[in-house]
Amino acid sequence: MVIGERPVTEEPRLAVRRPSSSLWSRRSLLIVLLPVLAAVLTGVAVLAVSGNILLPFERVVTLEGKMASKRDFFEDEEVQRLLLKHHIRVHITSSGSREVAIGDVASYDFVFPSGQPAGDLITSQRAAKNQYVKVHRPFVSPIVLATYREYAETLRAAGIATPQHASGKGRPLYYVLDMRKFLTTIDEKKRWNDIGIQNLGITNANRILAQGPDVCGSNSAGTYLALVAFTWHGEKDEVPDTDTEADDRARAIKHLLEQGLPAADVFRTYLSPEGKGIAPVVVAYEHQYLTYQVQYQAESKELDSQRVLLYPDSQFVTQPQFISLTREGERLGELITRDPELRQRAMELGFRILDPSGEVAGDQLSRFLRQRHIPVPSMEGDNTRSSMPRLRFLERMISIVGDCPAAGTSAGTSPGLPE
């Protein structure tokens, strides 16, 4: 210390750091944020294009449905997208149409049996219990026999099938089947080798049969049963009028029918590589085949000319019935019946869509198939329109042919169904 002088205090010095400008930190942030931002913008763009921009903010209702072959419609991705625009998702439980009719449907919003007999079972039962039920008929699809070219040409050579003129040039995809002659070969227990299949380069010592789903659960099998009974009886426009007649006709045709595969598996088996050996002729719906050919053409730029259809010369046009069991199910029924986009998509999936009067709506399917370079099957012709037995009698026939209980009964008892 120096006396007489004021002490000198040194001011503290502050070091001022320059702001960090780490290039790596900024780059890391951008690496993280840019993909997230891109994903958000892409999602918004997709929703905007699809018309679902507000979908994440609105309630989507999931409806429970039970059906067989018509599940193809609701499992289609485009149908699912269109339904989301209306804030609806559909969850499907797969089941044969007759199983739908005779099973418990209390937990479902709707059912969609593939034909009128199964639909009538449901509506009559619910009406008797005063339960909610509404019916829509959005589209139809006829019963056909799906087979392979060698088998169709063998039937042609035997005088049992003839090509449809509407099949177009080249090898036909569609044939008209003389049902009476076809059933006669089955009745006579003829085998494919007996009618010359070996002339087409393959051999098959199995009996001639049309493989169907289990008649106890499937509408297509039940419809084919009725077609066989109608043809085999031999008198046009005559269906059973009594329990005894129904029972007699069922016993008379039982040996003409082959069944066993679950309904969901028959057409898939036909499309499989092993199908030709397992079941060379199967009962199917027209829309299943047309959808397959459209998809095949889109992927390979050509037709699958080895898989063809046989159209029975007597024909039932099945009438799928969308049956609403709740009010939310009714909203869905209205949409698939009236919404232009959903109707268009049903047609693109091979269905013949109906107008409000219940008639096939023009020739939209024909135009669509021509645009996709798919030959158009004959929509009209001189085919006989077979008459379906009334519900009570059809049920009796199914129970005898399939060795299964009639709907709403235990085995061996008379069904308490409306006639």
Side-chain angles (χ1 to χ4, degrees), residues 331-368:
R331 178 169 169 251
L332 176 59
E334 284 287 327
L335 280 172
I336 67 170
T337 303
R338 301 182 184 279
D339 181 79
E341 290 181 303
L342 287 166
R343 284 168 60 80
Q344 171 74 14
R345 187 56 184 163
M347 181 270 296
E348 293 172 355
L349 293 173
F351 293 102
R352 304 184 187 189
I353 58 174
L354 300 178
D355 61 24
S357 69
E359 298 297 323
V360 175
D363 61 351
Q364 294 99 319
L365 180 58
S366 298
R367 289 198 300 269
F368 172 76

Side-chain angles (χ1 to χ4, degrees), residues 65-111:
K66 193 174 186 182
M67 67 192 72
S69 65
K70 303 308 174 279
R71 74 187 186 282
D72 298 342
F73 177 75
F74 288 103
E75 289 177 350
D76 176 68
E77 290 184 0
E78 177 65 8
V79 170
Q80 292 173 356
R81 184 189 71 80
L82 292 172
L83 288 177
L84 273 177
K85 288 173 62 176
H86 299 278
H87 323 300
I88 292 175
R89 285 194 184 95
V90 172
H91 178 260
I92 299 300
T93 299
S94 184
S95 179
S97 287
R98 190 167 177 273
E99 287 181 293
V100 172
I102 64 178
D104 182 10
V105 295
S107 61
Y108 296 94
D109 295 289
F110 69 94
V111 291

Side-chain angles (χ1 to χ4, degrees), residues 3-296:
I3 299 174
E5 294 182 0
R6 296 178 62 185
V8 178
T9 304
E10 188 174 333
E11 294 288 334
R13 288 177 294 177
L14 300 176
V16 179
R17 291 178 174 271
R18 300 180 62 185
S20 174
S21 58
S22 170
L23 182 60
W24 178 249
S25 298
R26 292 180 179 180
R27 183 177 297 168
S28 300
L29 187 62
L30 288 174
I31 289 174
V32 173
L33 289 182
L34 282 179
V36 175
L37 181 59
V40 171
L41 292 175
T42 300
V44 170
V46 169
L47 288 171
V49 170
S50 66
N52 294 325
I53 187 67
L54 297 179
L55 188 59
F57 310 103
E58 299 190 22
R59 176 173 172 259
V60 175
V61 177
T62 299
L63 302 183
E64 296 289 336
K66 193 174 186 182
M67 67 192 72
S69 65
K70 303 308 174 279
R71 74 187 186 282
D72 298 342
F73 177 75
F74 288 103
E75 289 177 350
D76 176 68
E77 290 184 0
E78 177 65 8
V79 170
Q80 292 173 356
R81 184 189 71 80
L82 292 172
L83 288 177
L84 273 177
K85 288 173 62 176
H86 299 278
H87 323 300
I88 292 175
R89 285 194 184 95
V90 172
H91 178 260
I92 299 300
T93 299
S94 184
S95 179
S97 287
R98 190 167 177 273
E99 287 181 293
V100 172
I102 64 178
D104 182 10
V105 295
S107 61
Y108 296 94
D109 295 289
F110 69 94
V111 291
F112 204 172
S114 296
Q116 186 170 346
D120 289 346
L121 272 176
I122 297 167
T123 54
S124 62
Q125 290 168 355
R126 290 185 70 85
K129 298 176 182 178
N130 201 28
Q131 294 175 321
Y132 188 92
V133 62
K134 291 286 184 67
V135 177
H136 292 277
R137 295 179 176 86
F139 40 67
V140 297
S141 187
I143 287 288
V144 293
L145 300 183
T147 188
Y148 305 87
R149 182 162 301 283
E150 296 91 341
Y151 290 90
E153 286 297 321
T154 298
L155 292 170
R156 177 184 186 178
I160 299 171
T162 55
Q164 266 193 14
H165 295 302
S167 295
K169 298 179 180 179
R171 295 188 295 177
L173 286 186
Y174 315 119
Y175 297 75
V176 177
L177 180 70
D178 186 318
M179 275 296 292
R180 183 72 188 185
K181 290 181 179 179
F182 181 67
L183 294 177
T184 298
T185 63
I186 298 175
D187 180 58
E188 294 172 350
K189 299 183 179 180
K190 288 188 176 180
R191 302 178 183 276
W192 288 105
N193 285 344
D194 295 335
I195 64 169
I197 190 71
Q198 61 272 23
N199 297 331
L200 277 296
I202 60 176
T203 62
N204 189 335
N206 292 325
R207 287 179 54 199
I208 298 170
L209 287 166
Q211 175 75 60
D214 180 7
V215 75
C216 295
S218 165
N219 178 77
S220 63
T223 303
Y224 182 67
L225 178 156
L227 179 61
V228 170
F230 175 88
T231 304
W232 197 241
H233 184 64
E235 295 185 34
K236 291 184 178 180
D237 301 323
E238 191 170 326
V239 293
D241 267 336
T242 67
D243 290 349
T244 300
E245 285 182 2
D247 294 353
D248 289 344
R249 293 192 196 179
R251 296 187 186 100
I253 65 169
K254 187 171 183 176
H255 69 291
L256 302 174
L257 298 165
E258 177 72 7
Q259 52 173 308
L261 291 176
D265 293 338
V266 175
F267 197 74
R268 293 178 187 177
T269 299
Y270 169 69
L271 296 182
S272 72
E274 301 80 21
K276 189 181 292 187
I278 297 173
V281 181
V282 302
V283 179
Y285 289 107
E286 180 188 59
H287 78 271
Q288 294 174 301
Y289 178 86
L290 295 180
T291 299
Y292 166 72
Q293 285 288 12
V294 169
Q295 292 172 345
Y296 192 93

